[in-house]
Amino acid sequence: MRIAPGISMLTLEMNVLGRRSEIHPALLYDDQHAVLVDVGMPGQLDAIRAAMAAEGVPFERLDGVILTHQDIDHIGAIREVLGAASWPVTVYAHAEDRPYIEGKKPLLKWSEQRLAKVLEQVPEPMRDRIRAFFQNPPSAEVTHVVEDGEVLPIAGGVQVIFTPGHTPGHISLYHLPSKTLIAGDATTCEGGRILGPSPQATEDMARATASHRRFADLDVAQVICYHGGLCANDVASQLQAWGGASG
């Protein structure tokens, strides 16, 4: 879905243990360059290619990937994406999540306890494959460490907003030309309503709530939520009200 010149919202189907849902990477682009914001689950390279092509952006234009944070549904296809490119692709992420993305630390939300719970829910033939996945999760070298307030020269300018809480190094992005907030998992939305951070998926709710309040300082026309999609219903007022209520 084209949001504005230089920015589109992609829709990928996610199937986790039989539970289907949609996730929404963002695509920033111009006539020569394209940058994906998050790359979905493992195995979704073909879906990413197709979604980019539907927006009129060939995969061969991709020269950057911004990872908002370390969660598996955001970094899952990173090896496939980079492996499919025979040209340099810059990988952007925040320093706090960098060691997890690079595989130097285990992903925060994929503990032995969670593995045990997952294995209880799947048939025996699937368990060895899932164990192997836990032991060797997707990883990639972060080649550009972003900082809060940095404006990346992508699609007319994208400002980095450090929004820790969901994970220690979570970032959101503000596309300056279109006034579009790419929230990652810093907030969710449903039916045009901004819901704030998800308590079930957030490492530090107090910190995530404080991060969410930062959005009220932006002139936002629409929000792309990774879970929930596009929210364009008077979002500036919603963010102001949410920020006031959270303060």
Side-chain angles (χ1 to χ4, degrees):
M1 176 191 294
R2 186 173 183 267
I3 305 301
I7 181 169
S8 291
M9 182 184 75
L10 308 184
T11 299
L12 306 178
E13 184 179 271
M14 183 169 71
N15 186 341
V16 178
L17 301 177
R19 294 190 292 272
R20 296 182 181 274
S21 61
E22 291 182 342
I23 51 178
H24 300 280
L27 181 65
L28 301 160
Y29 54 93
D30 57 28
D31 290 339
Q32 295 181 329
H33 307 281
V35 174
L36 270 171
V37 182
D38 296 324
V39 292
M41 291 287 284
Q44 291 197 303
L45 173 61
D46 289 344
I48 290 169
R49 283 183 178 272
M52 291 179 63
E55 297 302 312
V57 181
F59 182 82
E60 290 71 24
R61 199 181 300 175
L62 184 74
D63 55 12
V65 173
I66 302 174
L67 299 174
T68 61
H69 62 292
Q70 62 179 278
D71 284 352
I72 194 67
D73 55 331
H74 294 254
I75 71 167
I78 189 63
R79 285 180 183 164
E80 301 155 62
V81 168
L82 298 181
S86 59
W87 55 90
V89 176
T90 302
V91 178
Y92 304 79
H94 192 274
E96 290 291 333
D97 268 18
R98 180 182 187 179
Y100 303 94
I101 292 168
E102 293 187 335
K104 296 173 182 176
K105 290 184 178 181
L107 301 180
L108 283 175
K109 299 173 187 176
W110 290 79
S111 63
E112 290 293 333
Q113 292 82 357
R114 180 168 183 182
L115 173 58
K117 290 181 180 179
V118 168
L119 293 178
E120 289 174 358
Q121 301 175 53
V122 300
E124 182 68 35
M126 295 177 60
R127 293 179 183 176
D128 286 345
R129 180 162 59 89
I130 292 174
R131 282 193 190 94
F133 176 77
F134 268 85
Q135 292 166 358
N136 187 29
S139 62
E141 180 186 0
V142 175
T143 53
H144 183 122
V145 176
V146 300
E147 296 183 1
D148 185 38
E150 180 179 359
V151 177
L152 303 174
I154 297 168
V158 180
Q159 182 180 347
V160 176
I161 307 167
F162 184 40
T163 48
H166 184 79
T167 67
H170 189 285
I171 59 169
S172 302
L173 303 166
Y174 181 59
H175 183 233
L176 296 164
S178 67
K179 300 180 181 179
T180 301
L181 174 64
I182 304 170
D185 284 354
T187 190
T188 59
C189 68
E190 183 177 353
R193 182 171 169 236
I194 293 172
L195 303 179
S198 168
Q200 295 82 7
T202 298
E203 289 288 299
D204 186 335
M205 271 299 291
R207 204 174 184 199
T209 299
S211 292
H212 196 288
R213 289 202 294 270
R214 299 192 64 190
F215 298 152
D217 296 329
L218 301 172
D219 180 12
V220 179
Q222 54 265 323
V223 182
I224 298 175
C225 295
Y226 202 70
H227 300 281
L230 183 66
C231 185
N233 179 24
D234 195 21
V235 293
S237 295
Q238 286 199 63
L239 291 173
Q240 289 286 345
W242 205 101
S246 300

